[in-house]
Amino acid sequence: MLTKRIIPCLDIKNGRTVKGVNFVNLRDAGDPVELAKIYADEGADELVFLDISATEERRKTLQKLVLDVAAQVDIPFTVGGGISSTEDVDRLLQAGADKVSINSAAVKRPELINELASKFGNQCIVVAIDAKNVDGEWIVHLVGGKVPTDIKLFDWAKEVEKRGAGEILFTSMDNDGTKDGFANEALAKLSEIVNIPIIASGGAGNMTHFKDTFVNGKADAALAASVFHFKEIGIPELKQNLKANGINVRL
Amino acid sequence: MKVVIINYGAGNIQSIKFALQRLGVEAILSNNVEEIRNADKVIFPGVGEASSAMKKLKESQLDAIIPTLTQPVLGICLGMQLMCNTSEEGNTKGLGIFDTDVVRFSENVKVPQIGWNTIQNLESPLFANVRENEYMYLVHSYYAKKSSEMIAESTYDINYASALQKDNFYGVQFHPEKSSKAGSKLLENFLKL
């Protein structure tokens, strides 16, 4: 049976992890490759690297990082952040990334999804969607949730599926950083209206939140950052806990 | 040992190269017929769309060469699918090595299947020291129907062939290069064949 996936997310700036990593047994807390290896050994099912650098060197640095990760890590990983062309994607996949995640570029030019899906196959195209509940309506936001659009989440989800996205990574801006749990109602609706896997993101605070997003939110995978980076939740314990609660996970 | 990964412009070849490197083997990427023929082991990768991948194989005449190889050949993901008779993806003929057809998952399940699924009824030296119900990483929208050449099966929507073998030809739907220690074990087994 296909298992539910646990995905740690690493924020990358100029080839280093940022946004706080406090990890025991890590020689260098900023080295994404070392952190990735630890997560893979602990039983993470996939990894996401989100590049937030804004330097001119970013392309080369990111490509080098992808190459280093692919050389040393034996589980799949997705790379996102600032990807806006088929050339960008080609470089990253050539370097060994399994999937790429696109966000703002897809909102600005939705045809990009079609182009990427037909060139590389929809299985490697993840469309990341950041949304916020505004007066009872889920609205897509850009630039890490800072800039609202006039696009409704559920309309956009259907459109990205139609255009060839292989997966949707949904981050609720309302839940992100709260540690109060994932946006399960919106997630469950996403799973009903599209027929591609949904990754839940934003709000993980304890192990029950993961169970809830798989059961109530019908999510196929759950992504989190700080609870893993600060060792608040260990991946082996989390997966044991989920298993004990009847969730099918890889052990 | 000389291991050649067939390079026909399809798929995430780098990851396979790295996985072999972790096993101490420096594989060569090549579409050169002589080089492929002279290899001890051949890996036939593939990610992407079936009919355009077949087109690329034909352009380099590899479609005629691959079925005549005599050393152990391992098709991975789309590589395995192309070794079957036909694929519903782009309605293309395959290489006809495995006597089965590749069809799309129904709408009863989310497509593509993405993630870790178990493999059962393991029947090949390829799976030496790989336990029943081991988890492997899969990403695919199409699957090979069960056949007498099946050496592992998985369940998603229905039971399907997640690995096939005929003579020196092996095919796996999952990605051993991305399937952690179990996947690495399988690649190691393949190198020992």
Side-chain angles (χ1 to χ4, degrees), chain A residues 231-245:
Chain A
K231 276 277 182 188
E232 290 162 26
I233 299 177
I235 291 170
E237 293 77 31
L238 172 61
K239 291 183 111 178
Q240 290 291 351
N241 179 284
L242 289 169
K243 188 87 175 178
N245 281 287

Side-chain angles (χ1 to χ4, degrees), chain B:
Chain B
M1 183 175 358
K2 195 175 158 196
V3 179
V4 167
I5 302 172
I6 300 181
N7 185 7
Y8 61 108
N12 187 346
I13 288 173
Q14 196 60 258
S15 296
I16 298 171
K17 200 167 185 264
F18 282 140
L20 294 170
Q21 221 169 56
R22 291 194 287 268
L23 291 168
V25 172
E26 211 45 66
I28 301 157
L29 305 181
S30 177
N31 59 0
N32 178 285
V33 174
E34 278 315 299
E35 201 151 31
I36 294 170
R37 277 210 193 285
N38 291 328
D40 299 307
K41 301 283 184 309
V42 174
I43 293 182
F44 179 36
V47 172
E49 200 270 334
S51 65
S52 48
M54 265 313 278
K55 237 178 249 163
K56 283 180 194 156
L57 283 178
K58 280 183 180 157
E59 280 163 17
S60 44
Q61 286 159 5
L62 287 166
D63 63 319
I65 305 303
I66 294 169
T68 66
L69 294 173
T70 53
Q71 68 276 63
V73 177
L74 177 66
I76 297 176
C77 194
L78 181 64
M80 179 199 91
Q81 296 187 357
L82 296 176
M83 289 159 85
C84 299
N85 284 335
T86 64
S87 173
E88 220 173 64
E89 188 177 25
N91 283 317
T92 182
K93 269 193 141 186
L95 300 176
I97 295 167
F98 300 130
D99 189 15
T100 185
D101 298 302
V102 174
V103 293
R104 193 180 161 89
F105 285 121
S106 83
E107 293 296 309
N108 296 333
V109 287
K110 289 188 175 182
V111 184
Q113 169 175 228
I114 298 183
W116 299 77
N117 202 337
T118 49
I119 52 170
Q120 287 92 36
N121 298 326
L122 312 180
E123 277 179 47
S124 167
L126 196 59
F127 295 110
N129 297 314
V130 175
R131 59 173 186 170
E132 274 288 316
N133 296 313
E134 182 55 86
Y135 295 99
M136 293 288 181
Y137 187 80
L138 298 134
V139 186
H140 61 128
S141 303
Y142 295 78
Y143 65 90
K145 289 186 186 172
K146 290 173 77 162
S147 84
S148 59
E149 293 154 354
M150 183 167 81
I151 52 168
E153 67 180 299
S154 296
T155 307
Y156 189 67
D157 193 13
I158 40 82
N159 287 337
Y160 67 93
S162 44
L164 294 158
Q165 183 196 344
K166 187 192 179 188
D167 305 328
N168 57 316
F169 293 97
Y170 299 78
V172 291
Q173 179 60 63
F174 46 84
H175 288 274
E177 76 279 15
K178 287 288 170 179
S179 293
S180 194
K181 290 177 186 70
S184 177
K185 183 77 220 165
L186 184 135
L187 287 174
E188 197 186 326
N189 290 339
F190 174 71
L191 296 176
K192 283 186 195 156
L193 286 172

Side-chain angles (χ1 to χ4, degrees), chain A residues 18 23 35 45 54 56 63 99 108 130 195 211 221 227:
Chain A
V18 289
F23 223 84
L35 189 54
D45 297 301
E56 281 176 32
Q63 205 174 338
K99 301 187 255 185
K108 285 176 195 148
D130 299 337
N195 202 40
K211 186 199 81 177
V227 289

